[in-house]
Amino acid sequence: MSIEIANRFAIDGNATFCERYGSGHINETYLAITERGTRYILQKINHGIFRDVPALMRNIERVTDFLAARDPDPRHSLHLVPAKSGGRWLQDESGAYWRMYDFVTDSLCLDAAETDADFYQSALGFGEFQRKLASFPAAELTETIPHFHDTPDRYRQLREAIALDPLGRLSGVSKEVEFALAREAEAGALMRQLADGTLPLRVTHNDTKLNNVLLDEKTRTALCVIDLDTVMPGLTAFDFGDSIRFGAATAAEDERDLSKMEMSLELYETYARGFIGASGGAFSKAEIDSLPTGAKLMTLECGVRFLTDHLLGDSYFRIHRPNHNLDRCRTQFKLVADMEKKQARMLAIVRSIQD
Ligand code: ADP
Ligand code: GN1
Ligand code: MG
């Protein structure tokens, strides 16, 4: 089936291979290869989560065109392959939406940094991404998932899931619910600073996991930021925070042995140096001060989202084993607890870099 879809795009010959690829939780990603050996990334876009796919694709077209115009190296930005029927995406007979990208050649995608230098490179990639998009007219982008990093809204959804408890899972997660609710008052800190004008709205990526930036296989330097579905107006603290949540953690997002999970201050500092440095001095003092809060709130929010999805029956994040989202929630809350102990040092680090 997917091979037939791959052949509806204007590729280099005929696709003879098309198989599931990568470890994302949301879209269905395939690697397609033609008989000449040319590789492509084919994706079935999750229409349940992204309600207005044409608007989402318009965002991606605009952002990738904007980035490519400023840096024509084909390995430095994503390139959409047109459908043979015209346009840069297609809808199949079942209503599913598909898009295809050129495969970024000789690239690496890491689920965990192998060295601090890998993580530093991801910071340069995402920092550069912010710098390049600083002049993009943010208001022209559609919000592909409204309230995406509106943490109080994520709490509202958690409370709804608690009230519904459709699968009777609530009794098994009372410690996690208690942990989350004890921090609800702090959850609005960034949204309040956005509303009162302390923090500026920027074009942000919003899903800055390490595996959403590709590195050069040989030089291991940052090549290309990928997974642009959530590029929309947001706060710098969202992008910084989500990177720390994922990449400064000492264990995987779904690790079951919580004793392995901490936030490494060394990795935090490494990332902060790369990100702040590459952003080209764009950040205000208030934004710099918001970065540690971003790390904590993005981690708390992600834990709240995993918990909500566990209660509702795992309909959002793809799971690969029973209680997978609960395991993910637990790692996030363990990280939050660790970050709480380290907040003062986290703030001192970003301030020292900016000075
Ligand atoms: P998801 O939203 O499901 O995370 P991504 O867009 O991040 O989907 O893609 C999933 C995986 O596919 C990535 O982690 C990466 O390994 C690979 N990938 C995506 N786009 C490209 C590309 N243009 N070139 C090479 N690999 C890619
Ligand atoms: C999802 O698509 P992927 O796997 O890169 C999610 C992020 C979460 C992340 C947790 C659109 O990212 O918000 O932080 O899982 N993306 C969406 O691993 O919800
Ligand atoms: Mg991804």
Side-chain angles (χ1 to χ4, degrees):
M1 169 62 185
S2 60
I3 205 161
E4 187 264 319
I5 301 282
N7 281 309
R8 294 196 205 176
F9 286 88
I11 54 177
D12 176 31
N14 244 315
T16 49
F17 172 97
C18 192
E19 304 234 321
R20 283 295 288 272
Y21 189 77
S23 56
H25 300 336
I26 306 295
N27 294 314
E28 264 179 39
T29 299
Y30 298 82
L31 170 66
I33 312 181
T34 67
E35 74 267 42
R36 294 187 187 130
T38 312
R39 293 167 171 245
Y40 297 91
I41 288 288
L42 175 68
Q43 287 182 318
K44 182 173 169 188
I45 303 162
N46 189 322
H47 186 26
I49 289 176
F50 299 106
R51 292 312 173 104
D52 186 350
V53 177
L56 173 147
M57 287 308 297
R58 185 78 198 118
N59 275 4
I60 295 185
E61 288 175 5
R62 295 218 37 206
V63 167
T64 52
D65 288 349
F66 187 92
L67 292 172
R70 275 150 192 82
D71 182 350
D73 186 324
R75 296 167 74 222
H76 289 177
S77 56
L78 286 177
H79 178 253
L80 284 162
V81 178
K84 286 176 180 162
S85 57
R88 289 192 274 183
W89 49 273
L90 65 79
Q91 193 170 19
D92 70 18
E93 294 65 31
S94 73
Y97 291 93
W98 297 82
R99 69 175 167 229
M100 186 178 255
Y101 290 116
D102 284 336
F103 192 93
V104 176
T105 52
D106 304 317
S107 62
L108 266 181
C109 177
L110 300 175
D111 280 317
E114 285 163 19
T115 63
D116 288 11
D118 292 338
F119 192 42
Y120 181 73
Q121 285 297 324
S122 79
L124 295 183
F126 286 121
E128 271 271 295
F129 186 79
Q130 289 237 331
R131 189 183 58 72
K132 286 185 192 156
L133 288 172
S135 56
F136 188 95
E140 292 174 19
L141 289 179
T142 297
E143 265 197 278
T144 55
I145 301 182
H147 302 287
F148 191 61
H149 283 316
D150 178 343
T151 313
D153 195 63
R154 297 296 186 174
Y155 267 89
R156 183 189 59 71
Q157 295 178 42
L158 173 62
R159 284 189 176 277
E160 271 179 26
I162 291 171
L164 278 173
D165 190 23
L167 300 168
R169 290 182 174 177
L170 184 59
S171 56
V173 299
S174 44
K175 266 173 45 193
E176 287 72 23
V177 167
E178 192 189 328
F179 184 96
L181 296 183
R183 287 153 181 84
E184 190 170 7
E186 305 161 47
L190 291 173
M191 297 311 286
R192 280 193 292 276
Q193 285 187 289
L194 173 63
D196 70 17
T198 311
L199 296 175
L201 204 59
R202 297 180 180 277
V203 177
T204 49
H205 183 282
N206 299 303
D207 187 5
T208 51
K209 297 201 287 199
L210 178 71
N211 61 17
N212 284 333
V213 58
L214 301 178
L215 304 184
D216 186 302
E217 202 172 57
K218 293 191 190 74
T219 63
R220 288 187 96 97
T221 51
L223 269 183
C224 181
V225 169
I226 62 168
D227 204 347
L228 307 177
D229 296 318
T230 51
V231 174
M232 55 185 153
L235 297 176
T236 294
F238 298 162
D239 276 7
F240 178 82
D242 198 51
S243 291
I244 297 302
R245 172 191 81 74
F246 191 83
T250 54
E253 189 178 75
D254 60 356
E255 173 62 56
R256 274 185 276 211
D257 178 356
L258 292 180
S259 70
K260 293 187 180 156
M261 190 50 132
E262 283 178 32
M263 191 210 66
S264 153
L265 272 173
E266 290 71 34
L267 286 171
Y268 171 91
E269 178 160 3
T270 298
Y271 192 89
R273 285 197 186 288
F275 185 74
I276 296 172
S279 67
F283 304 145
S284 66
K285 188 171 177 309
E287 278 181 298
I288 294 289
D289 281 3
S290 74
L291 299 179
T293 311
K296 180 174 164 187
L297 288 193
M298 290 301 99
T299 312
L300 179 63
E301 176 186 289
C302 204
V304 164
R305 293 174 65 195
F306 288 141
L307 182 57
T308 306
D309 202 34
H310 173 72
L311 288 171
L312 295 180
D314 310 298
S315 54
Y316 189 97
F317 297 105
R318 188 176 302 124
I319 57 165
H320 305 288
R321 59 179 192 238
N323 290 337
H324 205 167
N325 278 316
L326 179 56
D327 292 338
R328 290 170 176 152
C329 161
R330 288 179 171 151
T331 61
Q332 301 307 291
F333 288 173
K334 175 79 195 296
L335 266 179
V336 169
D338 192 44
M339 287 182 192
E340 284 172 348
K341 291 188 214 135
K342 295 173 175 165
Q343 276 290 301
R345 278 178 289 169
M346 289 162 73
L347 184 59
I349 287 170
V350 288
R351 283 186 173 166
S352 75
I353 294 169
Q354 177 78 339
D355 289 345

